[in-house]
Amino acid sequence: MNLGKFNSYLNLIYLALFIFLFSCQKKELSYFEKIAFNDVALKDPTPAEWRYNKKEHDQTFQDFQKLKKIKPEEGKNIIYLQPIGEFNILQKKQIELTKQYLAKYFQLETKILPTLSNTIFPKSAKRIRSNNQEQILATYLLDSILIKKKPKDAVVLMGITEKDLFPRPKWNYVFGLATYENGVGVTSMFRFYDGNLTESNFNKSLERLLKISSHEIGHMFGVSHCLNANCVMNGTNNLTETDSHFARACSLCQQKLNSSLKYDNQKRLIELRDFFEKQNLNSEFLRAETDFKILK
């Protein structure tokens, strides 16, 4: 073999070796692929839980992408909170913290509107339960009040009330309700503190409020109930079920949100982690910290 042929063969060997080594290199995982390792699988539902009787479609990322949905745009990119009712100091503090949380969760500017009085509810939008508890028709609140109060620069508007809510006559109550089309929703604080809001139950109540508010706004942005993992977007029937759900959105639901809201994932994660730590929401802090560590 002459020297020229030998060099040609040698070059081919080097090229083949380079291609082999390059193909063996691990593909860099995306943010969502990395945090997916921290997703926690859903357990089989019990008879009292949402998924037991609700047969819902599993919304894939492709389904979400095809969906016509609300997105922030220039001049229409602020989340507004609309308090309705009479709130004490602790309740006002929770609303302020909810504002701070939602700004970090969705990475959008969030503002609180002046409080509306309970006198805005007509008799036709109220009912009295057997325990003498007054409830407000949530659909009336969405369709007849909040849609008219939505500021021009709002991407979504979330009402927060201290009154109990019901969505339709046959239902006992609902924690929150939202519309995909109009970008309005409402969350009730009424059942979150088991009677009276105090310093001792403040954090548990706050965590419930954060979960339901971010859940309902997630719906406004087009995210359906999650069947992928334990997630803030899981459907819920009762407080026990709500408490068992994480405030953390699973990797799939985060991917859906990020595809529309276009935020910096790591910045969001750090801000949420720091919020949980500051508010002593320890379980959620540990979950955020675990996600942060897996990115390193």
Side-chain angles (χ1 to χ4, degrees):
M1 180 183 295
N2 62 39
L3 185 60
K5 284 187 176 181
F6 176 78
N7 286 336
S8 296
Y9 282 126
L10 194 60
N11 287 336
L12 286 173
I13 291 171
Y14 283 143
L15 178 61
L17 183 61
F18 174 79
I19 293 172
F20 174 76
L21 291 174
F22 182 79
S23 65
C24 288
Q25 287 182 347
K26 287 186 177 180
K27 177 188 173 185
E28 177 67 23
L29 296 178
S30 71
Y31 174 89
F32 308 108
E33 289 170 328
K34 288 178 181 177
I35 67 167
F37 289 108
N38 291 333
D39 286 347
V40 175
L42 288 168
K43 298 177 181 178
D44 291 336
T46 64
E49 293 181 334
W50 179 271
R51 287 182 297 119
Y52 190 82
N53 290 315
K54 306 289 192 303
K55 305 303 179 186
E56 296 180 300
H57 171 68
D58 188 3
Q59 185 191 52
T60 66
F61 183 70
Q62 289 71 30
D63 292 334
F64 180 80
Q65 290 292 80
K66 295 174 185 176
L67 189 69
K68 184 179 179 181
K69 51 192 172 289
I70 293 171
K71 293 182 181 181
E73 56 188 65
E74 188 175 354
K76 203 172 183 180
N77 54 11
I78 299 174
I79 295 174
Y80 280 94
L81 301 182
Q82 177 62 77
I84 306 165
E86 298 177 5
F87 301 96
N88 61 35
I89 293 174
L90 289 179
Q91 289 171 324
K92 289 177 181 177
K93 182 179 178 182
Q94 286 196 340
I95 293 172
E96 171 59 29
L97 288 172
T98 300
K99 182 200 81 168
Q100 295 176 24
Y101 177 76
L102 293 175
K104 301 175 193 306
Y105 184 94
F106 293 104
Q107 293 291 290
L108 291 170
E109 184 179 2
T110 305
K111 296 181 179 181
I112 301 174
L113 293 169
T115 301
L116 297 175
S117 168
N118 283 325
T119 58
I120 62 173
F121 301 123
K123 286 185 178 180
S124 59
K126 302 176 185 178
R127 75 178 182 186
I128 304 296
R129 303 297 284 166
S130 57
N131 60 358
N132 207 34
Q133 176 58 49
E134 183 180 70
Q135 291 183 309
I136 304 298
L137 181 61
T139 50
Y140 176 87
L141 191 48
L142 297 182
D143 300 335
S144 300
I145 296 177
L146 292 177
I147 191 63
K148 298 175 183 177
K149 295 289 184 180
K150 188 177 179 182
K152 291 182 179 180
D153 59 352
V155 60
V156 296
L157 170 64
M158 166 62 71
I160 298 181
T161 176
E162 34 81 35
K163 292 288 188 180
D164 203 17
L165 297 173
F166 71 103
R168 55 181 67 98
K170 290 185 178 181
W171 283 52
N172 290 326
Y173 66 89
V174 68
F175 296 136
L177 196 66
T179 66
Y180 283 68
E181 300 84 8
N182 298 323
V184 294
V186 61
T187 298
S188 167
M189 307 170 77
F190 180 81
R191 294 177 182 265
F192 295 162
Y193 34 81
D194 307 318
N196 295 314
L197 180 59
T198 64
E199 292 288 353
S200 61
N201 64 15
F202 184 90
N203 269 18
K204 176 176 277 191
S205 171
L206 173 64
E207 190 170 336
R208 291 166 173 172
L209 179 59
L210 301 181
K211 288 177 181 179
I212 299 299
S213 296
S214 55
H215 176 105
E216 296 302 338
I217 295 177
H219 281 327
M220 294 186 222
F221 285 129
V223 183
S224 295
H225 280 150
C226 180
L227 303 178
N228 177 59
N230 190 318
C231 175
V232 72
M233 293 308 299
N234 298 146
T236 183
N237 265 345
N238 51 65
L239 286 179
T240 301
E241 192 172 9
T242 300
D243 291 341
S244 72
H245 296 161
F246 301 160
R248 174 188 184 268
C250 74
S251 58
L252 176 58
C253 290
Q254 287 193 47
Q255 186 180 15
K256 292 173 185 177
L257 279 177
N258 182 263
S259 70
S260 287
L261 306 186
K262 308 296 184 186
Y263 49 70
D264 181 322
N265 288 299
Q266 190 150 328
K267 173 179 175 291
R268 173 185 182 272
L269 177 59
I270 291 170
E271 289 181 1
L272 287 174
R273 181 196 63 180
D274 293 347
F275 176 89
F276 292 136
E277 183 177 29
K278 184 177 180 180
Q279 301 308 320
N280 296 311
L281 299 173
N282 298 325
S283 294
E284 296 303 334
F285 165 72
L286 289 174
R287 274 187 271 277
E289 181 68 6
T290 302
D291 278 346
F292 183 71
K293 286 179 178 178
I294 207 169
L295 298 175
K296 293 181 178 179

